[in-house]
Amino acid sequence: MAASFRPDIQGLRALAVGGVVAYHFGFTALPGGFAGVDIFFVISGWLITTHLMQEIGETSRLDLWRFYARRARRLLPAALFVIMVTLAAGYFILAPQEQALYSRGAMFASAYAINLWLLRWSFDYFAADATSNPFIHFWSLSVEEQFYLAWPALLLLAAWLRPGRRTAAAVIGVVGLASFAACLWLTSAAPAWAFYFSPLRAWEFAAGGLATLVPMALLQHRIWLRPALGWLGLALIATAYLLLSEDLPFPGWYALLPVAGTVLVLLSGVGEKQTNGRTHRHALGPATALSMPPLQWIGTLSYSLYLWHWPVIVYAGMLAPDLSVPQRLGCGVLVLALSVLTYHLIENPARRGAWLTVGARALAPALALTGAGVAVAYANAHLATRNIGPEQRGIEQAAEKPSIARAVDKGCLADFQTVTPKPCTFGPTDATRTIVLFGDSHADHWSTPLIEAAQRNDTKVVTYLKSSCRASRLSTFNTVLKRDYTECDAWREQAISEIIRRKPRLVVISEFSIGNLTRDLPAAERTAEVARWQAGLRSTLQAFSRAGVETAVIRDTPINASFADSCVARTLWWREAPSPHCDTPRAEAANDSTAAAERAVVTSVPDTRYIDLTNQFCGPTACHVVISGKLAFRDRHHLATAFAETLEGPLERALF
């Protein structure tokens, strides 16, 4: 064991990986467990800065070959092994189009650049569809590798300007502040960039680096200070795990909780003396707790645990949706077993072996490993593309086909930032009657049958549509913007006023059911939220009723347990029928109780009627994803356009 080894840092690694695994395994008691990645970033900043500053101080230079050889031995073999196994397992579990997509992700993961690929495709780490990407967790490893490339150059620049810790602290401080300021701004302006782009995460590494330059005299002569800092740091980490959630804008200000907490714990352990592998520490400090054998064992396995936990839970969720607690525990046991094997058979031998030698000779095997990962992932993507048959292609095309409104102009469905309504008109301009379609993307998917039905009845359709913006006067939180959706409130009021001025024959409203958002809330909160939504719906309907405008409210479509397009594509690849795997019980999917509350509001407002087409999707016991040979939904709850076309007849009878 190296003399510089600190058991408290190993314990911190255990806390970090434990939080991430708990979050990804659905342990709701730790909704902020994803902040464990930020702990890893700070630890990396601390350790790398410590080693590099020590070498610069002793030799006035850096042996970069030796530095990168250590990193390659530590990270490459285990990561590439997990990538290869995940790709191989994906052949049997993922649909070919998923294999092709995620194999491209594996290519970038092998080259430690997957964070840039995720930015290119705008993957949201917290979005529901992220649970299908078995390589998304490699983003943090890519950020770390990019940090390793830039950080030595930064410290050498500081030494070139003026040797000494003060100059290094100034340079790191300037870089860290600039990174933090940009991160704060982009957390709200461009959340994906703030989350994935390594320069915007540099401040977390800089925080660890700056902590190593704190004058030790400030801590060593104040016996009470170090334990106080340590316990405060652990409290901040615990606060982050317990209070943060995916609904908060992250990283931004909230990332200061795990970052500051980790810095304080690291500072509290400075100067501890170690003898024969045992650390002598102040009895009141947290180092004793962090040095407990279980935490040391988990900390030792932390890298392998991080690599394995995500593909295991992703594939398990595909094979058995809605994993039970025992099933999740079984996945945890499998992750531990795989991690132990990987650590002892690959990670540790590679780190200690001579085949990735120190010096320039280490570059060749490191590049060979990286190149092998990229080549295998590329070949796998090419093979997967060749395996996409006509049925698979049909599913893909059905999911991608836009509604009539969006096919004519994507702007007909306004984006999150748009405040001014953009009405889109369809059908004969000289028609004597006008129907307005008003609502969010769930109104948009009805535009296809509605426009076709209206044309058969000499009626034009004008759409007022905005993404994630209900017609009901209900202020909501936007999970993408991570804040109150004020743009929706402003847009809605303008749209209602414009629609009333048009005096249409009928206003057709449909919107994402409130029941889909409240299903996981406690009963009391759910009841209060539904009542608030009912009041907002009533207010909108009454505004039209008082203006003498008739309104029809279409009951919302069911919400499926899985993404219909991906689930059906997988079952076709497995040569199995989609229904047993992809259909959802009606009691879970149809939100009958919410529909009853909606119907009660509609029937209480004059000149308003309720249209319920749920039986077009659902039987007595289940709601289906494939109906009459057509894909019914393009994701979990939006109608596939080809199937929506078949609803023209039922919708025409209900409206005309």
Side-chain angles (χ1 to χ4, degrees), residues 127-275:
D129 58 354
T131 57
S132 299
N133 186 341
F135 299 102
I136 196 172
H137 66 310
F138 275 87
W139 76 269
S140 63
L141 303 179
S142 297
V143 169
E144 286 216 27
E145 278 296 306
Q146 291 156 24
F147 161 73
Y148 295 148
L149 290 175
W151 207 246
L154 187 73
L155 296 182
L156 284 173
L157 172 64
W160 176 75
L161 290 173
R162 185 174 182 179
R165 298 169 68 88
R166 289 186 178 181
T167 306
V171 171
I172 294 173
V174 168
V175 170
L177 285 174
S179 171
F180 182 61
C183 181
L184 282 181
W185 172 50
L186 289 172
T187 294
S188 58
W193 282 87
F195 195 90
Y196 290 124
F197 195 41
S198 51
L200 302 180
R201 289 295 192 126
W203 68 273
E204 301 185 42
F205 298 94
L210 275 177
T212 67
L213 303 175
V214 171
M216 293 301 106
L218 296 176
L219 303 173
Q220 291 172 340
H221 300 302
R222 295 171 175 81
I223 297 178
W224 58 271
L225 183 57
R226 285 210 316 247
L229 291 178
W231 290 118
L232 176 58
L234 288 181
L236 291 176
I237 292 172
T239 301
Y241 279 8
L242 295 171
L243 298 184
L244 295 183
S245 76
E246 59 192 44
D247 291 331
L248 295 173
F250 195 87
W253 289 106
Y254 291 103
L256 286 173
L257 280 171
V259 169
T262 306
V263 166
L264 293 178
V265 174
L266 290 170
L267 288 173
S268 74
V270 170
E272 302 288 1
K273 295 180 180 179
Q274 182 173 300
T275 305

Side-chain angles (χ1 to χ4, degrees), residues 409 411-412 420-426 462-465 491 498 502:
D409 184 351
C412 290
T420 303
K422 177 184 178 179
C424 295
T425 303
F426 302 88
V462 180
T463 62
Y464 284 83
L465 305 169
W491 178 91
E498 287 189 22
R502 283 181 178 272

Side-chain angles (χ1 to χ4, degrees), residues 413 421 435-444 446-447 450 461-466 469-473 488-489 491-500 504 506-512 536-537 540-541 543-544 551-554:
L413 179 64
I435 286 180
V436 168
L437 179 61
F438 178 36
D440 54 19
S441 59
H442 278 224
D444 167 64
W446 287 109
S447 68
L450 177 61
V461 174
V462 180
T463 62
Y464 284 83
L465 305 169
K466 180 171 170 63
C469 185
R470 290 179 177 81
S472 301
R473 281 170 162 158
C488 174
D489 295 335
W491 178 91
R492 183 194 302 115
E493 292 309 310
Q494 293 182 61
I496 291 174
S497 298
E498 287 189 22
I499 293 170
I500 290 174
L506 179 70
V507 176
V508 177
I509 289 175
S510 188
E511 59 187 20
F512 188 59
L537 175 60
T540 296
L541 297 179
F544 291 128
T551 308
V553 176
I554 303 177

Side-chain angles (χ1 to χ4, degrees), residues 625-654:
V625 294
V626 176
I627 301 171
S628 300
K630 291 184 179 294
L631 181 71
F633 298 88
R634 59 183 170 88
D635 49 27
R636 290 187 66 197
H637 46 77
H638 291 98
L639 292 175
T641 298
F643 175 73
E645 292 170 349
T646 69
L647 301 176
E648 177 194 345
L651 189 62
E652 183 179 5
R653 289 190 292 273

